[in-house]
Amino acid sequence: MNHLRSAFAVAGKEMRLALSYRLSFMMGVVGSFLGAAMFYFLAQLVHHGPSSPLAAYGGDYFSFVIIGIAFQSYLGLSMDTMASSLRREQLLGTLESVAATRTPLTVFAIGGALWQFVFASYRVLVYLVFGWLFFGLSLADANLPAALLVLLLSMLAFAGVGVVSGSFILVFKQGDPIRWLYGSAATLLGGVYFPVAMLPDWLRPFSAAFPITHALEAMRKAVLMGAGVGRLSTELLVLAGFAAVSVPAGTLAFRWALRRIRIDGSLGSH
């Protein structure tokens, strides 16, 4: 229970820090609106016929892509924000200070990640609300319980990758090839901007190696087609499998990184 309170205390600290930059916060909201508007007008150029790969998602490209770019927030968060947050705490000496207390650094990292995922959820909500209010996104058929379950499993699947990336930054203190390679490949192959069915046959199997592919497939079916847990069972099981591997892998990577920087004496290194 004490560790849980500590994690929430760290999350609260991160929240207050983020909200203190009000201009940056508002710019993020405005950027979400402009991004939604850009894809709305681009969607007018896309053919919506019954033979289109979009037919499986209702046939509307704007609805398809707005969920993709909104949900990509979680991928960007796991690959960028978590890594930069851990590095920032290292530079500020926070990790070194926490290490001198009885609070495990793993709990500290979880608390920071908790707020980041809450903030990413807020950004996803902003995208969907703007799409609904101004650009005709229909959420009437959305299956909210199924969508929330997809979201939970996706967060767990993404989080471990982010912690691995952050662990690399803690140890080597420079650009992370994991973040660049994984993030770029997942964006291209994961169906963020176009259906995976449009990929060449030889490339399509590689898309299955990224959790965002299954997360987006399940989320679009739940939100746009009203699919329930039963219809999403395959995607949910795959996401659960990714989470079962990702979370322990992230935990092991973080513990390894902490041992390395303690041995090197760089826990508070600049």
Side-chain angles (χ1 to χ4, degrees):
M1 184 62 70
N2 288 334
H3 290 341
L4 183 62
R5 283 199 297 267
S6 298
F8 278 114
V10 173
K13 184 265 294 183
E14 292 288 333
M15 180 187 70
R16 290 189 295 272
L17 179 62
L19 294 179
S20 66
Y21 296 98
R22 296 179 183 176
L23 179 59
S24 176
F25 192 83
M26 290 305 301
M27 287 175 64
V29 174
V30 174
S32 298
F33 175 79
L34 295 177
M38 179 182 68
F39 280 101
Y40 171 76
F41 292 115
L42 286 175
Q44 310 311 306
L45 303 174
V46 179
H47 174 61
H48 295 164
S51 61
S52 167
L54 295 169
Y57 310 98
D60 176 31
Y61 179 69
F62 176 72
S63 299
F64 175 91
V65 77
I66 198 69
I67 291 177
I69 60 175
F71 213 69
Q72 193 188 22
S73 298
Y74 291 106
L75 179 65
L77 166 72
S78 66
M79 299 307 298
D80 294 317
T81 311
M82 291 177 67
S84 60
S85 177
L86 286 173
R87 178 59 177 149
R88 184 192 71 220
E89 301 298 343
Q90 185 184 31
L91 289 171
L92 293 174
T94 310
L95 288 180
E96 192 172 22
S97 300
V98 173
T101 70
R102 299 179 62 182
T103 301
L105 286 174
T106 306
V107 173
F108 181 81
I110 290 173
L114 179 62
W115 159 247
Q116 300 295 348
F117 277 108
V118 169
F119 184 65
S121 300
Y122 160 77
R123 291 185 60 186
V124 169
L125 183 62
V126 167
Y127 268 113
L128 296 179
V129 168
F130 280 153
W132 173 62
L133 286 177
F134 301 106
F135 306 111
L137 174 65
S138 176
L139 301 175
D141 296 327
N143 188 318
L144 186 58
L148 290 176
L149 181 57
V150 172
L151 180 61
L152 175 62
L153 290 175
S154 301
M155 287 168 59
L156 292 173
F158 294 161
V161 180
V163 175
V164 171
S165 177
S167 300
F168 188 99
I169 293 291
L170 285 178
V171 173
F172 298 102
K173 305 173 186 64
Q174 58 185 352
D176 177 9
I178 298 174
R179 176 171 48 179
W180 175 80
L181 182 60
Y182 185 93
S184 300
T187 300
L188 174 64
L189 303 177
V192 175
Y193 299 108
F194 52 85
V196 171
M198 295 181 66
L199 291 170
D201 291 340
W202 65 271
L203 195 55
R204 206 174 302 166
F206 291 100
S207 69
F210 298 96
I212 193 172
T213 304
H214 310 280
L216 284 174
E217 182 73 11
M219 185 61 73
R220 284 169 175 141
K221 288 180 178 178
V223 173
L224 301 179
M225 310 300 290
V229 173
R231 285 178 57 189
L232 302 177
S233 57
T234 300
E235 291 86 358
L236 292 173
L237 285 173
V238 172
L239 285 173
F242 273 113
V245 173
S246 171
V247 173
T251 302
L252 290 174
F254 188 65
R255 289 176 176 172
W256 168 81
L258 290 179
R259 285 197 298 271
R260 279 292 304 272
I261 59 181
R262 280 186 171 124
I263 291 172
D264 296 342
S266 58
L267 193 61
S269 173
H270 295 262

